[in-house]
């Protein structure tokens, strides 16, 4: 069957791989749309230390059930539109013992530590297959990245009295914006791209700040009456934005870290103590986050088309990835359409 493989730095192409067998407890999925995410771009650029090449990327899935194994519960049937929880959990580490399996020490995410979903078919344990209700497979490919943002808001324990600053308005950051708005918070979206900020406003942010052209500190003091935001969610992964999060959060505030900084970050650690900060990591997402995103998307209020920058065939995926690498700030999601040509 057809698959997309990253074989080396800036080397991507279509390959033919054997069809997989299916175990009794597995579901065979027919992939329709699979999204490229930031980790796939890092892999393509040779900057993802968790990946061993060659690798089939992809963990943002919109699929249809093709076949179910004999041990699969009756709730999963051929023809259902589904998405996928792409993470594994070992059941033995400290995270799993504490029932926070999304942060499993030995997690293997599809397309990162193991071959992913950029292929025509994939067999997965039924527990990892999530029915998507009335959503289309195309929309389903947005669920996983948004769920990561939803999970960060849960980690922040956001309420309706909070001012939440979200740094980075990519797909994950947009998920954090949406979930914070749903919880009644006042949301400040920050990015370097005015188009993304405009979309963040459309998705419910009360204020937007272009961190390249505005005085971030002054604007935040103005917005928060001098206090600073109660919560800062870092969804970029750069030393500058990590420092900004700690510097700008209010005293006794919460800083939630999603992005992976690829260089060392220097902090004024006195702020950790003086502000008595809660600094929390946020990794992946829980099943409840997936369900919450599906519920949100089913309402039909999300500007889905604006979040999908491009849809390409498998044969055009390498060109799309090359273009994305040249202008990473201009892309929300690139989807690969595996249904075309069938």
């Amino acid at each position: 069957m057809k698959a997309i493989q990253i074989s080396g730095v800036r080397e991507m192409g279509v390959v033919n791989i054997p069809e997989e067998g299916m175990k009794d407890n597995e579901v065979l999925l027919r992939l329709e749309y699979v999204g490229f995410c930031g980790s796939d771009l890092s892999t393509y650029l040779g900057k993802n230390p968790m990946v061993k090449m060659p690798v089939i990327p992809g963990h943002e899935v919109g699929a249809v059930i093709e076949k179910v194994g004999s041990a699969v519960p009756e709730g999963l049937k051929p023809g259902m539109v589904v998405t996928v929880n792409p993470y594994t959990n070992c059941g033995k580490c400290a995270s799993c013992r504490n029932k926070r399996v999304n942060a499993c020490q030995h997690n293997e995410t599809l397309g990162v530590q193991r071959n992913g979903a950029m292929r025509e078919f994939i067999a997965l344990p039924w527990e990892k297959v999530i029915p998507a209700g009335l959503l289309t497979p195309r929309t389903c490919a947005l669920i996983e990245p948004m769920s990561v943002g939803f999970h960060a808001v849960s980690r922040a324990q956001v309420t309706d009295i909070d001012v939440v600053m979200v740094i980075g308005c990519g797909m994950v950051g947009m998920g954090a914006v949406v979930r914070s708005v749903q919880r009644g918070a006042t949301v400040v979206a920050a990015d370097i791209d005015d188009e993304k900020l405009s979309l963040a406003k459309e998705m419910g942010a009360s204020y937007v700040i272009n961190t390249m052209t505005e005085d971030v500190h002054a604007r935040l003091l103005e917005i928060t009456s001098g206090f600073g935001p109660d919560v800062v969610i870092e969804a970029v992964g750069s030393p500058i934005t990590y420092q900004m999060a700690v510097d700008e959060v209010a005293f006794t505030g919460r800083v939630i870290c999603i992005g992976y900084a690829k260089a060392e970050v220097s902090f004024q650690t006195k702020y950790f103590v003086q502000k008595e900060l809660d600094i929390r990591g946020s990794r992946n997402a829980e099943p409840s986050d997936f369900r919450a995103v599906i519920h949100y998307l089913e309402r039909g209020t999300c500007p889905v088309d604006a979040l999908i920058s491009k849809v390409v065939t498998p044969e055009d995926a390498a060109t799309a990835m090359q273009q994305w690498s040249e202008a990473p700030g201009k892309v929300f999601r690139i989807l690969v359409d595996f249904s075309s040509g069938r």
Side-chain angles (χ1 to χ4, degrees), residues 89-93 96-97 101 104:
N89 56 282
C90 70
K92 299 177 181 178
C93 70
C96 291
R97 182 180 63 186
V101 297
C104 174

Side-chain angles (χ1 to χ4, degrees), residues 163-226:
V163 175
V164 178
M165 179 187 187
V166 178
I167 306 176
C169 294
M171 277 297 301
V172 171
M174 287 299 185
V177 168
V178 167
R179 195 57 164 165
S180 297
V181 170
Q182 288 183 335
R183 292 192 174 198
T186 299
V187 178
V188 182
D191 202 280
I192 61 174
D193 186 272
D194 285 331
E195 290 182 23
K196 289 184 177 179
L197 291 172
S198 178
L199 187 54
K201 191 91 170 178
E202 184 179 345
M203 298 180 79
S206 297
Y207 304 93
V208 296
I209 300 175
N210 187 315
T211 58
M212 290 287 286
T213 61
E214 299 181 68
D215 185 328
V216 176
H217 183 67
R219 283 277 282 132
L220 286 173
L221 292 181
E222 176 189 353
I223 291 166
T224 64
S225 301

Side-chain angles (χ1 to χ4, degrees), residues 125-333:
W126 69 264
E127 296 93 339
K128 298 299 181 182
V129 177
I130 303 172
L134 300 176
L135 298 181
T136 66
R138 180 173 176 267
T139 299
C140 283
L142 304 180
I143 293 171
E144 191 274 341
M146 292 195 78
S147 73
V148 175
F150 272 47
H151 182 66
V153 173
S154 294
R155 291 283 292 144
Q157 298 175 298
V158 170
T159 72
D160 59 349
I161 63 172
D162 288 322
V163 175
V164 178
M165 179 187 187
V166 178
I167 306 176
C169 294
M171 277 297 301
V172 171
M174 287 299 185
V177 168
V178 167
R179 195 57 164 165
S180 297
V181 170
Q182 288 183 335
R183 292 192 174 198
T186 299
V187 178
V188 182
D191 202 280
I192 61 174
D193 186 272
D194 285 331
E195 290 182 23
K196 289 184 177 179
L197 291 172
S198 178
L199 187 54
K201 191 91 170 178
E202 184 179 345
M203 298 180 79
S206 297
Y207 304 93
V208 296
I209 300 175
N210 187 315
T211 58
M212 290 287 286
T213 61
E214 299 181 68
D215 185 328
V216 176
H217 183 67
R219 283 277 282 132
L220 286 173
L221 292 181
E222 176 189 353
I223 291 166
T224 64
S225 301
F227 291 104
D230 304 284
V231 175
V232 178
I233 297 175
E234 198 288 331
V236 177
S238 94
I240 292 173
T241 51
Y242 263 84
Q243 291 164 349
M244 181 187 297
V246 171
D247 290 349
E248 300 300 343
V249 71
F251 274 63
T252 67
R254 288 98 76 196
V255 176
I256 310 301
C257 307
I258 309 175
Y260 280 20
K262 297 177 178 62
E264 290 187 2
V265 184
S266 298
F267 290 109
Q268 290 289 340
T269 55
K270 66 179 182 180
Y271 290 149
F272 296 5
V273 178
Q274 288 179 348
K275 294 185 178 184
E276 199 175 49
L277 298 180
D278 288 337
I279 300 176
R280 306 175 186 175
S282 183
R283 184 182 181 192
N284 299 333
E286 297 180 347
S288 60
D289 301 308
F290 282 84
R291 293 196 301 271
V293 173
I294 291 169
H295 182 62
Y296 162 64
L297 291 171
E298 283 181 326
R299 296 176 187 173
T301 58
C302 178
V304 169
D305 289 342
L307 295 174
I308 298 173
S309 304
K310 185 181 295 186
V311 178
V312 299
T313 65
E315 290 74 17
D316 292 331
T319 299
M321 184 65 85
Q322 173 62 32
Q323 292 171 346
W324 187 16
S325 72
E326 294 168 357
K330 293 297 182 181
V331 171
F332 281 106
R333 271 303 175 269

Side-chain angles (χ1 to χ4, degrees), residues 45-86:
L45 294 174
K47 297 179 179 179
N48 192 338
M50 294 182 287
V51 171
K52 183 178 180 180
M53 297 189 196
V55 67
I56 297 171
H59 54 256
E60 300 176 357
V61 171
V64 175
I65 295 178
E66 181 79 5
K67 188 189 302 185
V68 298
S70 60
V72 173
E74 291 184 3
L76 295 173
K77 300 180 182 298
M80 291 179 65
V81 175
V82 298
T83 191
V84 166
N85 181 332

